[in-house]
């Protein structure tokens, strides 16, 4: 069991919860643009910070049908050092969470039409209200274009702790802009890495953006065997390890 770095309190660290976020990248211009928004000031976790859309895994994310599955190489990287009980189903749920949260917070759909006429398919259903809204637009989530890009675990001692997986996808994977979004994020828009220098970002988000800029220099975004930066604390020390398909559980 991990212990908070504040030894004077000897407080048992909260167990990180599985979470996922999606970095949508527009690469059509000379400098890439990233989809981000500002979190509300009344939120406990990272209030007022600019972030990528994301949130914790919901039970419904584990069972929702998809039009395309996560690439095997991405699933293997997700299984690397997965805490608790690793499984491909849990890896898949993380990618689903990234798509659902992006829809909730930005109104964007990453998916495939369930019918050429845009009519919802009655055979594809969910009890989750946000998934119901997603499916009502006549689309089914599609995981095939997502790549697992980075991972970060909130350090001990924070009011909320998450084991967050950062997924990445290009803007051409957006199937529809619905215009409907919740109120968790404001100032949702496209920001270049240069723009983000002036934004109020969590430190880990700034680091991940630097990693993304380096990744884009090596080639287009998509499923690949590229290693994944993994930020976490071990024995009180901050670490940057690399996850690969070869070290899957």
């Amino acid at each position: 069991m991990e212990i908070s770095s504040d030894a004077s309190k000897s407080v048992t660290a909260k167990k990180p919860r599985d979470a996922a976020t999606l970095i949508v990248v527009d690469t059509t211009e000379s400098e890439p643009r990233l989809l981000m928004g500002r979190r509300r000031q009344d939120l406990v976790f990272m209030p007022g910070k600019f972030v990528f859309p994301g949130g914790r895994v919901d039970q419904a994310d584990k069972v929702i049908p998809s039009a395309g599955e996560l690439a095997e190489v991405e699933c293997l990287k997700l299984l690397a050092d997965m805490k608790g009980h690793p499984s491909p189903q849990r890896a898949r749920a993380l990618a689903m969470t990234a798509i659902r949260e992006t829809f909730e917070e930005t109104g964007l759909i990453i998916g495939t039409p369930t019918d050429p006429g845009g009519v919802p398919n009655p055979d594809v259903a969910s009890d989750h209200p946000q998934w119901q809204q997603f499916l009502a637009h006549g689309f089914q989530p599609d995981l095939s274009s997502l790549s697992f890009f980075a991972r970060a675990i909130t350090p001990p001692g924070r009011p909320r702790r998450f084991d967050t997986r950062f997924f990445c996808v290009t803007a051409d994977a957006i199937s529809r802009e619905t215009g409907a979004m919740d109120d968790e994020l404001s100032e949702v828009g496209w920001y270049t890495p240069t723009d983000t220098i002036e934004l109020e970002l969590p430190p880990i988000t700034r680091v991940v953006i630097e990693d993304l800029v380096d990744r884009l220099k090596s080639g287009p975004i998509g499923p690949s065997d590229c290693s994944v930066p993994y930020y976490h604390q071990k024995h009180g020390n901050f670490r940057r390890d690399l996850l690969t398909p070869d070290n899957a559980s």
Side-chain angles (χ1 to χ4, degrees), residues 72-82 148-151 224-230 240-249:
E72 182 179 4
V73 67
E74 303 301 327
C75 184
L76 288 173
K77 288 185 288 187
L78 285 162
L79 288 170
D81 200 36
M82 182 179 280
F148 174 36
F149 170 72
R151 178 180 175 187
S224 73
D225 59 1
C226 291
S227 58
V228 173
Y230 173 28
R240 181 188 190 273
D241 294 327
L242 295 175
L243 303 175
T244 69
D246 297 331
N247 53 27
S249 300

Side-chain angles (χ1 to χ4, degrees), residues 18 57 61-64 66 68-80 82-97 143 148 165 167 248-249:
D18 277 346
V57 174
D61 301 330
K62 301 176 181 179
V63 295
I64 187 78
S66 65
E69 289 299 331
L70 196 64
E72 182 179 4
V73 67
E74 303 301 327
C75 184
L76 288 173
K77 288 185 288 187
L78 285 162
L79 288 170
M82 182 179 280
K83 310 301 183 184
H85 302 285
S87 71
Q89 292 75 21
R90 194 169 147 207
R92 179 182 183 275
L94 286 159
M96 278 294 185
T97 299
L143 305 176
F148 174 36
R165 283 69 161 196
F167 291 88
S249 300

Side-chain angles (χ1 to χ4, degrees), residues 69-235:
E69 289 299 331
L70 196 64
E72 182 179 4
V73 67
E74 303 301 327
C75 184
L76 288 173
K77 288 185 288 187
L78 285 162
L79 288 170
D81 200 36
M82 182 179 280
K83 310 301 183 184
H85 302 285
S87 71
Q89 292 75 21
R90 194 169 147 207
R92 179 182 183 275
L94 286 159
M96 278 294 185
T97 299
I99 287 182
R100 174 179 56 76
E101 288 284 344
T102 298
F103 170 67
E104 290 181 29
E105 296 178 2
T106 70
L108 299 181
I109 287 178
I110 309 293
T112 299
T114 56
D115 179 271
V119 179
N121 184 343
D123 296 327
V124 181
S126 174
D127 294 331
H128 191 283
Q130 276 70 45
W131 277 124
Q132 288 177 348
Q133 293 176 26
F134 186 107
L135 297 173
H137 287 282
F139 287 85
Q140 193 171 349
D142 190 334
L143 305 176
S144 60
S145 60
L146 270 64
S147 58
F148 174 36
F149 170 72
R151 178 180 175 187
I153 299 180
T154 312
R158 304 297 172 84
R160 299 283 189 277
R161 295 192 69 208
F162 297 100
D163 187 346
T164 303
R165 283 69 161 196
F166 293 77
F167 291 88
C168 197
V169 72
T170 56
D172 56 12
I174 298 171
S175 303
R176 177 172 294 179
E177 299 183 24
T178 68
M181 61 187 77
D182 63 19
D183 63 350
E184 186 167 325
L185 297 183
S186 62
E187 302 178 51
V188 175
W190 298 93
Y191 300 88
T192 67
T194 302
D195 294 333
T196 64
I197 295 173
E198 304 299 324
L199 299 181
E200 190 176 357
L201 301 179
I204 189 61
T205 302
R206 198 170 296 281
V207 170
V208 167
I209 290 174
E210 292 173 357
D211 282 334
L212 178 61
V213 171
D214 288 340
R215 169 68 179 82
L216 288 170
K217 293 176 182 177
S218 66
I221 297 170
S224 73
D225 59 1
C226 291
S227 58
V228 173
Y230 173 28
Y231 298 96
H232 61 120
Q233 280 196 9
K234 188 172 183 179
H235 305 309

Side-chain angles (χ1 to χ4, degrees), residues 1-18:
M1 179 133 348
E2 292 182 272
I3 303 298
S4 168
S5 57
D6 186 349
S8 64
K9 294 183 180 179
S10 297
V11 178
T12 301
K14 293 179 179 292
K15 181 180 178 181
R17 301 184 65 176
D18 277 346

